[in-house]
């Protein structure tokens, strides 16, 4: 598994025999790391396992352990189905976190772009609301902005279901959004190949990156948005050969009011790579005041200042 900043996983580990075991960080290409540097295989920790019942077949032992737990703890109306799933390749179909977001549910779209502007004396850490075409980059429409706590960047309707497109124009960033999780639809590499399916191969940058294959249809609240550009001199000339395009879907449920989305690299977030999101009732009611707080387009006054 790949652990980016903000990622969380539950892992079930079974040791077949007593002894010492190594916890290893596998090699990572620079394009998949917040350091942007290739990382060699590293020893993270050792685990000393005391004597117990040796396990000759890990798969069988794991299945037997989970079946026994299901027999003890599962409600009677689902117990048989859960146990049948476990005995059929350790499937967990009764534990789907959320129903899939289907095409006919979609009520709107959102776009998001991460960028670090290094053209001035001070670096600007920014987020934009409009995707860019890597093969036909238009600097006029490329308008990212740093965080402003006084405004809302996205006003979204309670009950809405939207498809988001995520991009980064300079280095990779872990996208994180509060409150509502999202389902991964596809992750396209710079050649337009979906590398999110089971068995997919992501060779962007030349080295195989294992973090995306198998993520299709998975639900998350944090996801690495990859860019192969790490040298400021390569922007925007190398966007066409360096930009990944990610599509996710999410439902806005049960919550009215403000929350944030941001890059989960702490110093990027603190320096402005963040946005305020506001959820309101479709008719504008509920007291959230999303429209009043909406951040104005460049050159316009805030709604609360207009007469």
């Amino acid at each position: 598994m790949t652990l980016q900043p903000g990622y969380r996983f539950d892992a079930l580990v079974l040791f077949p025999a007593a002894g010492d075991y190594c916890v290893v960080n596998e090699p990572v290409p620079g394009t998949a790391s917040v350091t942007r540097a290739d990382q060699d295989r590293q020893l993270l920790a050792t685990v000393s396992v005391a004597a117990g019942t040796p396990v000759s077949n890990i798969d069988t032992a794991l299945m037997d352990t989970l079946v026994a737990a299901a027999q003890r703890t599962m409600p009677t109306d689902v117990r048989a189905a859960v146990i049948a799933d476990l005995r059929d390749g350790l499937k967990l179909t009764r534990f789907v976190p959320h129903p899939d977001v289907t095409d006919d549910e979609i009520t709107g779209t959102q776009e998001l772009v991460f960028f670090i502007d290094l053209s001035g004396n001070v670096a600007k850490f920014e987020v934009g609301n409009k995707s860019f075409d890597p093969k036909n980059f238009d600097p006029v429409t490329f308008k990212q902005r740093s965080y402003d706590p006084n405004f809302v960047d996205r006003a979204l309707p309670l009950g809405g279901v939207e498809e988001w497109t995520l991009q980064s124009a300079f280095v990779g960033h872990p996208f994180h959004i509060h409150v509502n999780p999202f389902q991964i639809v596809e992750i396209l590499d710079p050649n337009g190949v979906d590398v999110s399916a089971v068995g997919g191969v992501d060779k962007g940058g030349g080295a195989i990156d294992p973090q995306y294959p198998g993520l299709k249809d998975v639900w998350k609240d944090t996801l690495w948005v990859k860019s192969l550009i790490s040298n400021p001199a390569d922007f925007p000339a190398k966007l066409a050969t360096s930009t990944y395009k990610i599509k996710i879907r999410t439902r806005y449920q049960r919550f009215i009011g403000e929350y944030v989305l941001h890059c989960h690299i702490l110093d990027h977030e603190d320096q402005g790579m963040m946005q305020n999101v506001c959820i309101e009732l479709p008719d504008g009611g509920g007291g959230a005041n999303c429209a009043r707080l909406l951040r104005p387009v460049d050159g316009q006054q805030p709604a609360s200042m207009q007469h």
Side-chain angles (χ1 to χ4, degrees), residues 50-114:
T53 303
V55 173
S56 58
N57 187 308
I58 292 179
D59 292 337
T60 300
L62 180 59
M63 182 185 68
D64 291 344
T65 299
L66 293 177
V67 166
Q71 289 172 332
R72 293 193 311 271
T73 61
M74 287 292 102
T76 55
D77 58 335
V78 297
R79 185 181 302 153
V82 170
I83 291 174
D85 265 357
L86 292 171
R87 286 175 172 161
D88 183 20
L90 295 178
K91 294 177 181 176
L92 298 172
T93 58
R94 304 293 294 190
F95 297 91
V96 175
H98 307 278
D100 289 342
V101 181
T102 58
D103 294 345
D104 58 1
E105 286 185 74
I106 302 300
T107 59
T109 60
Q110 295 288 319
E111 300 174 357
L112 178 142
V113 176
F114 285 129

Side-chain angles (χ1 to χ4, degrees), residues 42-55:
Q42 301 177 56
L43 176 66
L44 298 180
T46 58
V47 179
S48 295
V49 178
T53 303
V55 173

Side-chain angles (χ1 to χ4, degrees), residues 110-114 127-128 130-132 134 154 163-169 173-177 182-188 212 221-227 243-249 261 275:
Q110 295 288 319
E111 300 174 357
L112 178 142
V113 176
F114 285 129
V127 185
K130 182 176 176 57
S131 295
F132 60 90
R154 299 173 192 269
E163 183 170 272
W164 291 52
T165 299
L166 311 179
Q167 294 173 302
S168 174
H173 303 274
F175 165 79
H176 174 64
I177 189 166
F182 54 81
Q183 185 176 31
I184 298 169
V185 177
E186 63 181 14
I187 301 175
L188 304 181
Y212 283 150
D221 65 7
T222 309
L223 181 63
W224 182 256
V225 182
K226 189 173 177 180
S227 169
T243 302
Y244 283 67
K245 184 177 182 179
I246 298 176
K247 288 189 177 181
I248 61 174
R249 292 175 176 177
L261 62 82
Q275 288 188 333

Side-chain angles (χ1 to χ4, degrees), residues 7-287:
Y7 277 28
R8 293 173 291 276
F9 287 98
D10 293 325
L12 182 61
V13 181
L14 192 153
F15 297 100
D20 294 330
Y21 294 81
C22 297
V23 180
V24 175
N25 190 24
E26 293 294 345
V28 177
T31 55
S33 169
V34 296
T35 67
R36 303 195 297 278
D38 294 342
Q39 298 179 19
D40 294 330
R41 197 167 189 254
Q42 301 177 56
L43 176 66
L44 298 180
T46 58
V47 179
S48 295
V49 178
T53 303
V55 173
S56 58
N57 187 308
I58 292 179
D59 292 337
T60 300
L62 180 59
M63 182 185 68
D64 291 344
T65 299
L66 293 177
V67 166
Q71 289 172 332
R72 293 193 311 271
T73 61
M74 287 292 102
T76 55
D77 58 335
V78 297
R79 185 181 302 153
V82 170
I83 291 174
D85 265 357
L86 292 171
R87 286 175 172 161
D88 183 20
L90 295 178
K91 294 177 181 176
L92 298 172
T93 58
R94 304 293 294 190
F95 297 91
V96 175
H98 307 278
D100 289 342
V101 181
T102 58
D103 294 345
D104 58 1
E105 286 185 74
I106 302 300
T107 59
T109 60
Q110 295 288 319
E111 300 174 357
L112 178 142
V113 176
F114 285 129
F115 185 58
I116 304 176
D117 184 356
L118 300 175
S119 61
N121 295 328
V122 178
K124 297 178 182 179
F125 292 77
E126 301 173 326
V127 185
N129 287 22
K130 182 176 176 57
S131 295
F132 60 90
D133 182 348
K135 296 181 180 179
N136 297 284
F137 180 72
D138 183 0
V140 175
T141 60
F142 189 75
K143 295 182 178 181
Q144 323 312 312
R145 299 195 286 191
S146 294
Y147 179 66
D148 187 331
N150 298 306
F151 296 109
V152 162
D153 297 280
R154 299 173 192 269
L156 309 173
L158 183 69
V161 182
E162 295 195 316
E163 183 170 272
W164 291 52
T165 299
L166 311 179
Q167 294 173 302
S168 174
F170 180 65
V171 303
H173 303 274
F175 165 79
H176 174 64
I177 189 166
H178 292 196
V179 181
N180 295 299
F182 54 81
Q183 185 176 31
I184 298 169
V185 177
E186 63 181 14
I187 301 175
L188 304 181
D189 70 8
N191 295 316
V193 177
D194 186 359
V195 295
S196 67
V198 174
V201 179
D202 179 12
K203 292 183 178 179
I208 293 179
D209 181 356
Q211 68 176 309
Y212 283 150
L215 290 183
K216 181 180 288 290
D217 297 329
V218 171
W219 286 85
K220 295 175 68 66
D221 65 7
T222 309
L223 181 63
W224 182 256
V225 182
K226 189 173 177 180
S227 169
L228 302 180
I229 294 180
S230 59
N231 183 346
D234 292 335
F235 172 84
K238 293 187 178 181
L239 285 174
T241 58
S242 304
T243 302
Y244 283 67
K245 184 177 182 179
I246 298 176
K247 288 189 177 181
I248 61 174
R249 292 175 176 177
T250 185
R251 301 181 178 98
Y252 311 130
Q253 299 175 317
R254 297 191 299 275
F255 181 86
I256 298 174
E258 293 183 53
Y259 56 91
V260 296
L261 62 82
H262 55 86
C263 171
H264 221 302
I265 300 174
L266 183 59
D267 66 310
H268 291 190
E269 171 193 353
D270 288 349
Q271 294 183 77
M273 197 170 278
M274 182 162 66
Q275 288 188 333
N276 286 331
V277 178
C278 188
I279 303 292
E280 62 183 354
L281 295 178
D283 62 3

